[in-house]
Amino acid sequence: MNLLPFGKLPAHKARTLVPQTIDLGDWPQIAPLFDQLETRAAQCQSAADLERWLLDWSELTAALDEEAARRYIAMTCHTDNAEAEKAYLHFVENVEPQLKPRQFALERIYIRRRDDLHESQTSPATGKNKGTREARPSENRYFVFDRDVKNHVELFRPENVALETEDAKLCQQYQKLTGSLTVNFRGEEKTLVQMGRYLEEPDRALRQEAWELVAKRRLQEVDNFDEIFDRLIELRQRTARNAGFKNYRDYAFRRLGRFDYTPEDCTRFHDAVAREVMPAVRELQAARRRQLGLDKLHPGHLRPWDLAVDPQNRPPLKPFGQVGEMVSRTQKIFDRLDGELAGGFRQIQDLRLLDLDNRKGKAPGGYQQNLAEARVPFIFMNAVGQQRDVETILHEAGHAFHALAARNEDLHAYRNSPPIEFCEVASMSMELLGNEFIEEFYSAADANRARRVHLEGVIGVFPWIATVDEFQHWIYAHPGHSRADRAAAWLELMDRFGGDVDWRGYETARANLWHRQLHIFTHPFYYIEYGIAQLGALQVWANSKRDKAKTLNDYKKSLALGGSRPLPELFSAAGCKFQFDAATIKPLIQRARSELANL
Ligand SMILES: [Zn+2]
């Protein structure tokens, strides 16, 4: 049985190192290729030799990456298939642990050889050509790659391996605890995710009941969440000290490869959100309050359970019935937007690189995954016919366009892992640009309603990003803080970024709201990326209102760069500034507000 929706995908480039018939799930067959690469690295005589070697290493990495991806896709498309699960776990348990130290050894060898060879000649390392002008370091093709590999090698501490395993285990405990929480709602056991649906119910009393039940259930676990988090902080501080950093924040910035922005830039972003976005958020909240008719009640404030429902109490939008309809209408959107992108989306369909409908035996959520050797994207989601599905397919298509655009890049690291701050520009821009033709799904009135929901979401996410990010800056800058200090710091941020929502009677729930944000536990400091990217996407969108053809051209060109350039250059290629201060945010929020006013 073929567990993958797509058929055989030929490699984009013929293999030169990896044998055609190799079983990439069998470590004894893989290990000799690493031996070979190690031996050959020592024999490189010139920078050109090292460059060829790099491409062979890249070929092997891509082949292994695709193998892992295929197993992951098969498993998530068939969670109830024992064979798929076994194949996936086999790779995770028997190949990956062997792979990591071997990849790391090659990274170390590469850095050493690069330094040896760069003395004498043109090198991937410096890009200096004898007799020509001194190139700026970032003009060098290998600037970003070298910087990342070097960073990885420099940060490695053998004594941190055990600490990271411990960290991963605690993160898993957090996820297990979160996933295990259920409530009994009107005689039925429901997960907290399932309960989210009731917050969209027009019946206010029902919403309140559902919200209170979830809040109460979470509060029973407050000590467990705090306990896990205390231990995580302690581990992370040790990890940072081992690597020679004075605090975890500075370590995390390096570890995440943030060479192009600083903690001070993040602070500027928080301040800019407070100044430029919060007035818009309060205005939207006031409008919601009026539309819900709360101003006629006493005391008539917005409460935490009033934030997700349609403010005019209309039934949910119905963009499509069958998933096939979703695909063909999305295709029409791209047909109207851009011929080349439209061709890409058609190609994805022709190769059956999609599994989109929600069905039993499928993992939740949505993702886009690169098949690194065939150099094509795969899109996974669980569409059920909601407006959110339309946003998701446009978003994931943006990621897929990124993968297709970078297809001709031979260095796997550049092709496959552009920085997340820019990957999300590719996807979030596509939501905004695609929305312009969303009438393919709706009547004119419903199309405007969908645009409104989307734009309000774009504005509303900034304060939450600022809250989550600033909170983490506070945490790791205050080692040894008590749980009470931590709650106080969080509440101060809720005051700053929460807007006009009345939490009276639910103060403890408010003080512990951060327990719901997975990233704070499992991906420390990894959240502001979405804010940075959203600002890029809003700039792309604003540019498109002025000159659509140029904007789309820049968009495609910037995507084709993959991860080969530093962030500011990727942004600039897309026609945006890599800045997140008030001066950048202000006109974008104004633009979004005036668009909302016209809907
Ligand atoms: Zn995304």
Side-chain angles (χ1 to χ4, degrees), residues 277-288 290 500 593:
V277 185
M278 283 318 293
V281 168
R282 287 178 198 279
E283 199 179 279
L284 291 171
Q285 286 173 336
R288 163 173 288 272
R290 276 193 309 275
D500 300 317
R593 281 168 93 166

Side-chain angles (χ1 to χ4, degrees), residues 256-319:
L256 292 165
R258 292 180 178 174
F259 300 105
D260 301 303
Y261 59 101
T262 62
E264 291 71 37
D265 290 323
C266 297
T267 304
R268 270 190 282 280
F269 172 78
H270 310 149
D271 293 345
V273 170
R275 231 180 56 205
E276 306 299 339
V277 185
M278 283 318 293
V281 168
R282 287 178 198 279
E283 199 179 279
L284 291 171
Q285 286 173 336
R288 163 173 288 272
R289 182 173 153 263
R290 276 193 309 275
Q291 284 176 316
L292 282 171
L294 302 181
D295 52 342
K296 295 182 201 81
L297 302 176
H298 195 76
H301 299 291
L302 274 183
R303 311 283 333 230
W305 48 87
D306 293 326
L307 307 176
V309 64
D310 178 71
Q312 294 177 44
N313 277 341
R314 292 164 295 189
L317 287 163
K318 273 260 150 238

Side-chain angles (χ1 to χ4, degrees), residues 62-80:
L64 287 162
D65 197 319
E66 177 159 324
E67 183 66 26
R70 295 173 77 93
R71 289 169 190 242
Y72 180 75
I73 292 168
M75 189 261 301
T76 51
C77 292
H78 305 277
T79 49
D80 48 3

Side-chain angles (χ1 to χ4, degrees), residues 22 170 197 240 246 262 292 313 341 416 437 451 453 462:
I22 192 172
L170 284 166
R197 194 167 78 74
K246 70 176 195 300
T262 62
L292 282 171
N313 277 341
L341 298 176
N416 228 44
F437 305 110
R451 289 188 187 107
V453 170
F462 284 111

Side-chain angles (χ1 to χ4, degrees), residues 364-425:
Y367 64 78
Q368 181 268 327
Q369 172 89 51
N370 287 349
L371 292 151
E373 208 181 12
R375 304 192 189 179
V376 290
F378 171 77
I379 302 177
F380 176 97
M381 59 185 275
N382 277 283
V384 290
Q386 299 171 321
Q387 160 57 18
R388 195 173 300 140
D389 299 330
V390 179
E391 289 174 14
T392 304
I393 186 74
L394 291 172
H395 181 100
E396 301 303 341
H399 285 309
F401 294 149
H402 206 175
L404 288 175
R407 256 192 124 183
N408 291 323
E409 166 61 63
D410 284 331
L411 198 60
H412 170 262
Y414 283 172
R415 189 172 67 243
N416 228 44
S417 7
I420 183 91
E421 292 90 341
F422 192 68
C423 288
E424 295 299 320
V425 174

Side-chain angles (χ1 to χ4, degrees), residues 29-301:
Q29 294 185 47
I30 303 164
L33 298 174
F34 280 93
D35 299 340
Q36 237 186 81
L37 283 169
E38 285 188 13
T39 315
R40 269 188 41 209
Q43 295 161 352
C44 286
Q45 300 285 328
S46 65
D49 285 351
L50 189 61
E51 202 165 2
R52 270 189 298 277
W53 177 88
L54 198 53
L55 289 179
D56 281 345
W57 177 18
S58 218
E59 177 192 309
L60 175 59
T61 308
L64 287 162
D65 197 319
E66 177 159 324
E67 183 66 26
R70 295 173 77 93
R71 289 169 190 242
Y72 180 75
I73 292 168
M75 189 261 301
T76 51
C77 292
H78 305 277
T79 49
D80 48 3
N81 184 296
E83 193 193 324
E85 185 186 60
K86 209 174 116 205
Y88 173 72
L89 287 177
H90 175 82
F91 197 88
V92 170
E93 286 164 4
N94 299 302
V95 179
E96 273 177 358
Q98 313 264 14
L99 203 56
K100 279 186 187 156
R102 296 302 302 261
Q103 289 285 27
F104 184 67
L106 289 183
E107 289 184 347
R108 273 211 307 239
I109 293 170
Y110 169 73
I111 293 296
R112 212 173 46 236
R113 293 299 291 143
R114 181 201 75 149
D115 288 345
D116 292 348
L117 294 168
H118 113 243
E119 299 301 312
S120 49
Q121 52 208 308
T122 307
S123 121
T126 63
K128 274 189 216 158
N129 298 311
K130 275 183 183 160
T132 59
R133 87 188 156 84
E134 190 89 348
R136 267 194 300 125
S138 72
E139 283 175 27
N140 172 8
R141 158 145 175 83
Y142 294 95
F143 173 75
V144 173
F145 181 73
D146 287 355
R147 188 176 67 176
D148 287 344
V149 174
K150 201 159 164 261
N151 188 44
H152 195 204
V153 169
E154 280 172 3
L155 287 184
F156 179 78
R157 295 292 180 282
E159 63 271 31
N160 275 346
V161 174
L163 299 186
E164 280 161 9
T165 308
E166 190 95 349
D167 189 300
K169 279 190 191 156
L170 284 166
C171 291
Q172 197 249 342
Q173 261 186 45
Y174 167 80
Q175 286 186 300
K176 204 173 144 190
L177 176 60
T178 309
S180 72
L181 301 183
T182 58
V183 291
N184 192 296
F185 184 60
R186 305 196 161 175
E188 266 182 78
E189 193 186 24
K190 301 262 184 205
T191 66
L192 302 195
V193 177
Q194 287 167 337
M195 290 301 290
R197 194 167 78 74
Y198 296 104
L199 296 178
E200 295 174 22
E201 285 287 329
D203 178 351
R204 195 177 190 215
L206 177 90
R207 291 203 303 273
Q208 178 173 358
E209 185 189 338
W211 186 89
E212 277 179 348
L213 202 57
V214 170
K216 225 166 77 195
R217 183 66 194 88
R218 286 189 178 281
L219 283 182
Q220 289 167 2
E221 306 296 336
V222 158
D223 286 341
N224 288 328
F225 282 126
D226 270 319
E227 177 66 34
I228 292 174
F229 197 59
D230 284 341
R231 289 170 61 196
L232 280 169
I233 294 176
E234 202 268 324
L235 273 174
R236 286 169 187 168
Q237 277 156 351
R238 267 164 60 200
T239 311
R241 277 197 302 272
N242 285 344
F245 288 81
K246 70 176 195 300
N247 63 56
Y248 182 74
R249 182 199 68 187
D250 292 350
Y251 173 75
F253 266 64
R254 267 292 293 279
R255 173 95 191 236
L256 292 165
R258 292 180 178 174
F259 300 105
D260 301 303
Y261 59 101
T262 62
E264 291 71 37
D265 290 323
C266 297
T267 304
R268 270 190 282 280
F269 172 78
H270 310 149
D271 293 345
V273 170
R275 231 180 56 205
E276 306 299 339
V277 185
M278 283 318 293
V281 168
R282 287 178 198 279
E283 199 179 279
L284 291 171
Q285 286 173 336
R288 163 173 288 272
R289 182 173 153 263
R290 276 193 309 275
Q291 284 176 316
L292 282 171
L294 302 181
D295 52 342
K296 295 182 201 81
L297 302 176
H298 195 76
H301 299 291

Side-chain angles (χ1 to χ4, degrees), residues 335-347:
D335 288 343
R336 290 170 69 183
L337 183 66
D338 181 87
E340 210 178 323
L341 298 176
F345 195 68
R346 210 165 296 120
Q347 189 187 2

